[in-house]
Amino acid sequence: MAITEAQLEEILAKYPSKLQKNRKKHIIINNQECGAQTIEANTRTAPGIITNRGCAYAGCKGVVLGPLKDMVHITHGPIGCAYYTWGTRRNKARTEDLAQNFINYAVSTDMQESDIVFGGEKKLAKVIDEVVENFHPKAITVSATCPVGLIGDDINAVAKAAEERHGIPVLAFSCEGYKGVSQSAGHHIANNGLMDKVIGAGTMEKANGKYPINLLGEYNIGGDGWEVERILTDIGYDIVAVMTGDGSYEDLKNAHVSELNLVQCHRSINYIAEMLEVKYGTPWLKVNFIGVQSTIETLRNMAEYFGDPALKARTEEVIAREVARIEPMMEQYKKVCEGKTAFCFVGGSRGHHYQGLFGELGIDTVLAGYEFAHRDDYEGRQVLPDIKTDADSKNIPELHVNQDPNRFKLKLSPEKMAELKDRIPLSYYAGMYVDMKEGTIMVDDLNHYETEEFIKLLKPDIFASGIKDKYVVQKMGIPAKQIHSYDYSGPYAGFNGAVNFARDVSMGFASPTWNFIVPPWKEEPLLTGKVNAEGVA
Ligand code: CFM
């Protein structure tokens, strides 16, 4: 075992006893002999503890809505909220008509104290008018931040009036930061809004192309989505809509015509995937384009779903060509990486997905986890019926959809569906747990104290995480790779992405920088003082 229960107890012993018990439920040392192990997730972070989570507004506007390029996304709130979700996620987008790409703008109502006191509705209406006048977008979103909910601005009424004034959709999202325990709540709110107001609003009844698909939960960070599209179009798939990386309102409207929905990030978009199945009869397939083997497996599963021998043959052709092309490069980087260990702690899906890519390079993931995922992302969707809804999750309205009387079409017979489900992850996600080795650690909502303690104990060779802990880790002499924004690099998905990732990680290991880092406190004390009999300096 990489660490023992006793060592874990020692780390937790620094906490007050109530917190000790709480954190213990969020940490698992994988022990296959115990059978299925249960982890606690999607519950409140203890107040005062610094973790890496964001808020509901970040999950709604920043994550799901923000990448839709032909809509202007208005943040109704103080300027800091808009600033926080401006650009740093590196979700890229391009348009033929440059005037219809609003991705680089941060539009905010810039609420001031007087707006908090007297209400911000008039200001919001004015900002919508200005946006229409200056940008002429296809549609607009309005996302609420904490104070909006607290003072009771009716953003739905403002949006509705603006829709009538301007004749374009204005969608209001009540995603106040406090609506949930993390950004996960915001994903759900955004999913509901898009399903309710956008998907299906288009007039298309039949897709172009033989294999029409939607790509869900792919946000084109560092260009990931473009690499996935390159591979899929090369094989012959027709991508109707991407949700939401480099995505557009125009495409999303017609997403109902697809024959299959691919789900890359289960956490952020499983709600839409499920609702599309109920409303239009379109199954979803859990895919993973991170790592060479996962990409190959995904492509084969997709071909299996459509069951066409010509598609299967073309899939194998592309796989063989791509693997032959990248293998020599991967081999070279593998020599640098082989035998190393990693921590892989990311938001709600990458903590799982990147373990495979690390493994292909010969790097063992010894600790992994998610900031805000739910139990099903750790343990698999079979635990869904056992998840208790608490007061925080009840805060988010459920959207119930029904079969569309005209557009619902069973894509597969129930027999075929059952047969395929035995072989490929159709409408199912198995979670991270099954892919983790005996003795490795799974941590939910890892905090900064635990980060340092686990590093001291396990001494990983690389720490894959984000901006909020990167610098502390680097100061401990360990290379840190941002798996959220990819630092300034990418794409990391698909075949080309695997090579980029291997190169960047190898650079981290090969750099002599780490030998020169001596934290200042190791050379001279940063604080000096004496402790007297009463313990006061
Ligand atoms: Fe999905 Fe994401 Fe992730 Fe996520 Fe995110 Fe992200 Fe992430 Mo940062 S949607 S859950 S809310 S894969 S922004 S593109 S990297 S925490 S693991």
Side-chain angles (χ1 to χ4, degrees):
M1 230 177 232
I3 73 163
T4 60
E5 288 288 345
Q7 284 171 310
L8 178 58
E9 293 293 339
E10 214 173 292
I11 292 177
L12 299 178
K14 295 269 164 44
Y15 290 135
S17 66
K18 213 172 139 197
L19 186 57
Q20 239 176 75
K21 282 195 210 112
N22 173 328
R23 285 304 299 156
K24 184 123 201 263
K25 294 186 211 151
H26 294 263
I27 304 173
I28 281 179
I29 302 174
N30 288 324
N31 181 349
Q32 313 288 336
E33 278 170 23
C34 305
Q37 288 170 287
T38 300
I39 194 163
E40 191 157 293
N42 192 33
T43 54
R44 283 184 191 199
T45 302
I49 287 202
I50 300 173
T51 80
N52 297 359
R53 283 177 161 178
C55 66
Y57 155 79
C60 180
K61 190 269 174 186
V63 173
V64 180
L65 302 178
L68 292 165
K69 61 193 171 188
D70 55 354
M71 305 169 96
V72 172
H73 306 287
I74 299 174
T75 299
H76 186 33
I79 198 65
C81 306
Y83 185 78
Y84 171 68
T85 51
W86 183 22
T88 48
R89 187 157 170 259
R90 300 189 70 239
N91 47 281
K92 293 167 178 270
R94 57 185 167 212
T95 48
E96 267 174 38
D97 178 359
L98 294 179
Q100 280 299 308
N101 185 350
F102 308 112
I103 211 88
N104 291 326
Y105 291 97
V107 181
S108 169
T109 51
D110 184 21
M111 284 177 102
Q112 303 290 322
E113 271 174 38
S114 59
D115 303 313
I116 306 287
V117 175
F118 299 108
E121 292 177 8
K122 285 202 186 96
K123 199 169 191 185
L124 174 59
K126 193 161 164 274
V127 169
I128 297 173
D129 293 347
E130 280 175 21
V131 162
V132 174
E133 192 187 323
N134 290 324
F135 296 111
H136 313 291
K138 301 250 167 54
I140 291 172
T141 68
V142 175
S143 294
T145 58
C146 294
V148 173
L150 296 176
I151 63 173
D153 272 0
D154 187 348
I155 60 167
N156 281 293
V158 176
K160 194 157 170 275
E163 248 178 24
E164 283 159 17
R165 248 191 343 271
H166 299 293
I168 60 164
V170 181
L171 316 175
F173 292 84
S174 296
C175 55
E176 288 84 354
Y178 58 77
K179 276 279 167 72
V181 300
S182 69
Q183 53 266 66
S184 173
H187 302 150
H188 198 162
I189 293 165
N191 276 224
N192 287 352
L194 293 179
M195 190 68 202
D196 195 26
K197 301 264 172 49
V198 184
I199 298 168
T203 51
M204 265 170 89
E205 294 305 332
K206 204 178 170 325
N208 306 316
K210 216 166 160 191
Y211 311 111
I213 53 168
N214 293 321
L215 179 51
L216 276 62
E218 167 50 62
Y219 300 93
N220 203 28
I221 310 298
D224 272 358
W226 290 335
E227 165 67 359
V228 173
E229 280 181 45
R230 177 186 74 84
I231 301 164
L232 295 182
T233 41
D234 193 0
I235 293 176
Y237 291 101
D238 184 52
I239 301 169
V240 180
V242 184
M243 296 179 211
T244 53
D246 195 22
S248 71
Y249 174 77
E250 278 301 309
D251 295 343
L252 208 53
K253 277 197 310 194
N254 288 310
H256 57 274
V257 299
S258 283
E259 293 287 318
L260 175 66
N261 291 313
L262 310 181
V263 171
Q264 169 71 24
C265 166
H266 173 263
R267 183 65 267 135
S268 64
I269 209 107
N270 74 89
Y271 319 95
I272 285 183
E274 272 184 69
M275 289 189 276
L276 285 173
E277 187 157 11
V278 174
K279 195 166 178 187
Y280 303 109
T282 321
W284 58 270
L285 178 70
K286 178 68 187 78
V287 298
N288 181 12
F289 288 102
I290 302 298
V292 179
Q293 279 319 312
S294 303
T295 302
I296 292 174
E297 197 184 312
T298 290
L299 296 176
R300 288 188 174 141
N301 289 346
M302 290 173 66
E304 204 55 44
Y305 171 83
F306 285 100
D308 178 347
L311 181 68
K312 285 188 187 172
R314 178 66 190 148
T315 302
E316 292 307 324
E317 232 174 81
V318 170
I319 291 172
R321 185 200 68 205
E322 292 288 315
V323 170
R325 182 173 64 83
I326 66 162
E327 216 160 49
M329 294 182 266
M330 291 298 276
E331 280 308 313
Q332 167 200 339
Y333 293 126
K334 219 169 147 181
K335 287 183 200 139
V336 185
C337 298
E338 195 94 66
K340 301 268 199 288
T341 58
F343 278 17
C344 190
F345 184 80
V346 207
S349 76
R350 296 181 173 189
H352 178 199
H353 289 156
Y354 275 82
Q355 292 186 39
L357 184 47
F358 273 132
E360 285 167 16
L361 294 169
I363 303 168
D364 253 346
T365 302
V366 290
L367 179 146
Y370 301 122
E371 289 171 26
F372 52 76
H374 301 193
R375 273 184 62 202
D376 39 321
D377 302 294
Y378 290 100
E379 302 173 55
R381 280 178 73 90
Q382 72 284 354
V383 302
L384 280 174
D386 308 331
I387 297 178
K388 289 184 225 93
T389 34
D390 57 12
D392 289 307
S393 28
K394 279 192 195 132
N395 226 350
I396 310 154
E398 283 287 337
L399 179 66
H400 294 285
V401 294
N402 299 315
Q403 279 191 11
D404 186 302
N406 304 315
R407 286 170 166 168
F408 181 87
K409 188 182 98 197
L410 262 193
K411 308 294 187 290
L412 298 171
S413 68
E415 301 75 47
K416 181 74 191 163
M417 182 86 176
E419 189 251 314
L420 273 179
K421 272 188 174 173
D422 279 344
R423 289 185 287 136
I424 62 175
L426 253 193
S427 307
Y428 179 69
Y429 176 42
M432 161 195 291
Y433 180 70
V434 286
D435 284 333
M436 291 196 69
K437 287 188 191 154
E438 183 82 8
T440 57
I441 306 167
M442 244 171 29
V443 190
D444 177 66
D445 195 19
L446 181 71
N447 59 49
H448 286 197
Y449 162 68
E450 289 164 13
T451 299
E452 288 184 35
E453 293 304 306
F454 282 124
I455 286 179
K456 283 185 216 153
L457 216 54
L458 294 168
K459 303 185 175 55
D461 296 299
I462 189 163
F463 193 96
S465 179
I467 193 81
K468 290 172 192 165
D469 44 16
K470 177 186 169 95
Y471 297 104
V472 174
V473 174
Q474 286 185 167
K475 282 175 189 166
M476 293 174 88
I478 292 164
K481 177 77 222 151
Q482 288 196 70
I483 300 291
H484 298 254
S485 70
Y486 302 162
D487 296 291
Y488 309 99
S489 190
Y492 286 161
F495 298 109
N496 288 336
V499 178
N500 290 340
F501 185 77
R503 177 201 62 209
D504 291 355
V505 167
S506 300
M507 275 199 297
F509 291 141
S511 166
T513 317
W514 313 110
N515 303 324
F516 300 117
I517 292 176
V518 180
W521 59 86
K522 289 224 166 147
E523 293 196 319
E524 52 178 311
L526 297 182
L527 281 174
T528 47
K530 279 189 241 128
V531 179
N532 65 18
E534 286 84 43
V536 183

PDB file of all heavy atoms in Angstrom, residues 100-112:
ATOM      1  N   GLN A 100     -19.064  37.830 -35.494  1.00  0.00           N
ATOM      2  CA  GLN A 100     -20.009  37.001 -34.726  1.00  0.00           C
ATOM      3  C   GLN A 100     -19.287  36.105 -33.711  1.00  0.00           C
ATOM      4  O   GLN A 100     -19.797  35.080 -33.299  1.00  0.00           O
ATOM      5  CB  GLN A 100     -20.851  36.149 -35.685  1.00  0.00           C
ATOM      6  CG  GLN A 100     -22.014  36.915 -36.314  1.00  0.00           C
ATOM      7  CD  GLN A 100     -23.012  37.431 -35.291  1.00  0.00           C
ATOM      8  OE1 GLN A 100     -23.503  36.696 -34.456  1.00  0.00           O
ATOM      9  NE2 GLN A 100     -23.305  38.731 -35.328  1.00  0.00           N
ATOM     10  N   ASN A 101     -18.093  36.481 -33.336  1.00  0.00           N
ATOM     11  CA  ASN A 101     -17.360  35.729 -32.313  1.00  0.00           C
ATOM     12  C   ASN A 101     -17.135  36.654 -31.118  1.00  0.00           C
ATOM     13  O   ASN A 101     -16.311  37.565 -31.168  1.00  0.00           O
ATOM     14  CB  ASN A 101     -16.030  35.246 -32.885  1.00  0.00           C
ATOM     15  CG  ASN A 101     -15.272  34.359 -31.904  1.00  0.00           C
ATOM     16  OD1 ASN A 101     -15.653  34.258 -30.740  1.00  0.00           O
ATOM     17  ND2 ASN A 101     -14.208  33.744 -32.354  1.00  0.00           N
ATOM     18  N   PHE A 102     -17.865  36.395 -30.028  1.00  0.00           N
ATOM     19  CA  PHE A 102     -17.812  37.311 -28.876  1.00  0.00           C
ATOM     20  C   PHE A 102     -17.031  36.725 -27.707  1.00  0.00           C
ATOM     21  O   PHE A 102     -17.128  37.182 -26.581  1.00  0.00           O
ATOM     22  CB  PHE A 102     -19.241  37.663 -28.438  1.00  0.00           C
ATOM     23  CG  PHE A 102     -20.091  38.148 -29.568  1.00  0.00           C
ATOM     24  CD1 PHE A 102     -21.147  37.400 -30.043  1.00  0.00           C
ATOM     25  CD2 PHE A 102     -19.805  39.367 -30.181  1.00  0.00           C
ATOM     26  CE1 PHE A 102     -21.922  37.844 -31.103  1.00  0.00           C
ATOM     27  CE2 PHE A 102     -20.571  39.824 -31.248  1.00  0.00           C
ATOM     28  CZ  PHE A 102     -21.636  39.056 -31.710  1.00  0.00           C
ATOM     29  N   ILE A 103     -16.294  35.667 -28.003  1.00  0.00           N
ATOM     30  CA  ILE A 103     -15.659  34.884 -26.953  1.00  0.00           C
ATOM     31  C   ILE A 103     -14.664  35.694 -26.105  1.00  0.00           C
ATOM     32  O   ILE A 103     -14.463  35.425 -24.941  1.00  0.00           O
ATOM     33  CB  ILE A 103     -14.996  33.633 -27.588  1.00  0.00           C
ATOM     34  CG1 ILE A 103     -15.020  32.483 -26.612  1.00  0.00           C
ATOM     35  CG2 ILE A 103     -13.604  33.863 -28.082  1.00  0.00           C
ATOM     36  CD1 ILE A 103     -16.268  31.699 -26.728  1.00  0.00           C
ATOM     37  N   ASN A 104     -14.061  36.706 -26.706  1.00  0.00           N
ATOM     38  CA  ASN A 104     -13.035  37.431 -25.954  1.00  0.00           C
ATOM     39  C   ASN A 104     -13.560  38.597 -25.122  1.00  0.00           C
ATOM     40  O   ASN A 104     -12.797  39.297 -24.477  1.00  0.00           O
ATOM     41  CB  ASN A 104     -11.939  37.923 -26.900  1.00  0.00           C
ATOM     42  CG  ASN A 104     -11.136  36.762 -27.430  1.00  0.00           C
ATOM     43  OD1 ASN A 104     -10.923  35.772 -26.721  1.00  0.00           O
ATOM     44  ND2 ASN A 104     -10.728  36.840 -28.684  1.00  0.00           N
ATOM     45  N   TYR A 105     -14.862  38.798 -25.166  1.00  0.00           N
ATOM     46  CA  TYR A 105     -15.425  39.911 -24.393  1.00  0.00           C
ATOM     47  C   TYR A 105     -15.882  39.456 -23.006  1.00  0.00           C
ATOM     48  O   TYR A 105     -16.270  38.302 -22.824  1.00  0.00           O
ATOM     49  CB  TYR A 105     -16.640  40.503 -25.108  1.00  0.00           C
ATOM     50  CG  TYR A 105     -16.281  41.236 -26.379  1.00  0.00           C
ATOM     51  CD1 TYR A 105     -16.386  40.609 -27.619  1.00  0.00           C
ATOM     52  CD2 TYR A 105     -15.836  42.559 -26.342  1.00  0.00           C
ATOM     53  CE1 TYR A 105     -16.053  41.276 -28.795  1.00  0.00           C
ATOM     54  CE2 TYR A 105     -15.496  43.230 -27.511  1.00  0.00           C
ATOM     55  CZ  TYR A 105     -15.611  42.589 -28.724  1.00  0.00           C
ATOM     56  OH  TYR A 105     -15.275  43.244 -29.871  1.00  0.00           O
ATOM     57  N   ALA A 106     -15.794  40.391 -22.063  1.00  0.00           N
ATOM     58  CA  ALA A 106     -16.410  40.166 -20.752  1.00  0.00           C
ATOM     59  C   ALA A 106     -17.406  41.296 -20.552  1.00  0.00           C
ATOM     60  O   ALA A 106     -17.019  42.453 -20.420  1.00  0.00           O
ATOM     61  CB  ALA A 106     -15.370  40.184 -19.644  1.00  0.00           C
ATOM     62  N   VAL A 107     -18.693  40.980 -20.611  1.00  0.00           N
ATOM     63  CA  VAL A 107     -19.715  42.026 -20.505  1.00  0.00           C
ATOM     64  C   VAL A 107     -20.360  41.922 -19.129  1.00  0.00           C
ATOM     65  O   VAL A 107     -20.838  40.859 -18.737  1.00  0.00           O
ATOM     66  CB  VAL A 107     -20.787  41.857 -21.597  1.00  0.00           C
ATOM     67  CG1 VAL A 107     -21.832  42.975 -21.488  1.00  0.00           C
ATOM     68  CG2 VAL A 107     -20.151  41.859 -22.978  1.00  0.00           C
ATOM     69  N   SER A 108     -20.362  43.029 -18.421  1.00  0.00           N
ATOM     70  CA  SER A 108     -20.888  43.003 -17.057  1.00  0.00           C
ATOM     71  C   SER A 108     -21.711  44.252 -16.782  1.00  0.00           C
ATOM     72  O   SER A 108     -21.456  45.318 -17.364  1.00  0.00           O
ATOM     73  CB  SER A 108     -19.720  42.930 -16.067  1.00  0.00           C
ATOM     74  OG  SER A 108     -20.184  43.148 -14.757  1.00  0.00           O
ATOM     75  N   THR A 109     -22.690  44.121 -15.887  1.00  0.00           N
ATOM     76  CA  THR A 109     -23.470  45.304 -15.498  1.00  0.00           C
ATOM     77  C   THR A 109     -22.715  46.131 -14.459  1.00  0.00           C
ATOM     78  O   THR A 109     -23.168  47.221 -14.102  1.00  0.00           O
ATOM     79  CB  THR A 109     -24.842  44.905 -14.924  1.00  0.00           C
ATOM     80  OG1 THR A 109     -24.636  43.932 -13.909  1.00  0.00           O
ATOM     81  CG2 THR A 109     -25.745  44.341 -16.002  1.00  0.00           C
ATOM     82  N   ASP A 110     -21.601  45.612 -13.965  1.00  0.00           N
ATOM     83  CA  ASP A 110     -20.743  46.373 -13.053  1.00  0.00           C
ATOM     84  C   ASP A 110     -21.564  46.984 -11.913  1.00  0.00           C
ATOM     85  O   ASP A 110     -21.572  48.201 -11.710  1.00  0.00           O
ATOM     86  CB  ASP A 110     -19.999  47.456 -13.870  1.00  0.00           C
ATOM     87  CG  ASP A 110     -19.010  48.240 -13.035  1.00  0.00           C
ATOM     88  OD1 ASP A 110     -18.602  47.735 -11.977  1.00  0.00           O
ATOM     89  OD2 ASP A 110     -18.657  49.369 -13.436  1.00  0.00           O
ATOM     90  N   MET A 111     -22.272  46.152 -11.185  1.00  0.00           N
ATOM     91  CA  MET A 111     -23.128  46.658 -10.102  1.00  0.00           C
ATOM     92  C   MET A 111     -22.329  47.424  -9.052  1.00  0.00           C
ATOM     93  O   MET A 111     -21.264  46.972  -8.630  1.00  0.00           O
ATOM     94  CB  MET A 111     -23.854  45.490  -9.413  1.00  0.00           C
ATOM     95  CG  MET A 111     -25.000  44.934 -10.211  1.00  0.00           C
ATOM     96  SD  MET A 111     -25.712  43.530  -9.346  1.00  0.00           S
ATOM     97  CE  MET A 111     -27.164  44.278  -8.641  1.00  0.00           C
ATOM     98  N   GLN A 112     -22.876  48.537  -8.650  1.00  0.00           N
ATOM     99  CA  GLN A 112     -22.262  49.361  -7.606  1.00  0.00           C
ATOM    100  C   GLN A 112     -23.141  49.313  -6.355  1.00  0.00           C
ATOM    101  O   GLN A 112     -24.240  48.768  -6.396  1.00  0.00           O
ATOM    102  CB  GLN A 112     -22.147  50.808  -8.097  1.00  0.00           C
ATOM    103  CG  GLN A 112     -21.365  50.967  -9.382  1.00  0.00           C
ATOM    104  CD  GLN A 112     -19.880  50.696  -9.208  1.00  0.00           C
ATOM    105  OE1 GLN A 112     -19.297  51.052  -8.185  1.00  0.00           O
ATOM    106  NE2 GLN A 112     -19.260  50.039 -10.189  1.00  0.00           N
TER     107      GLN A 112
END
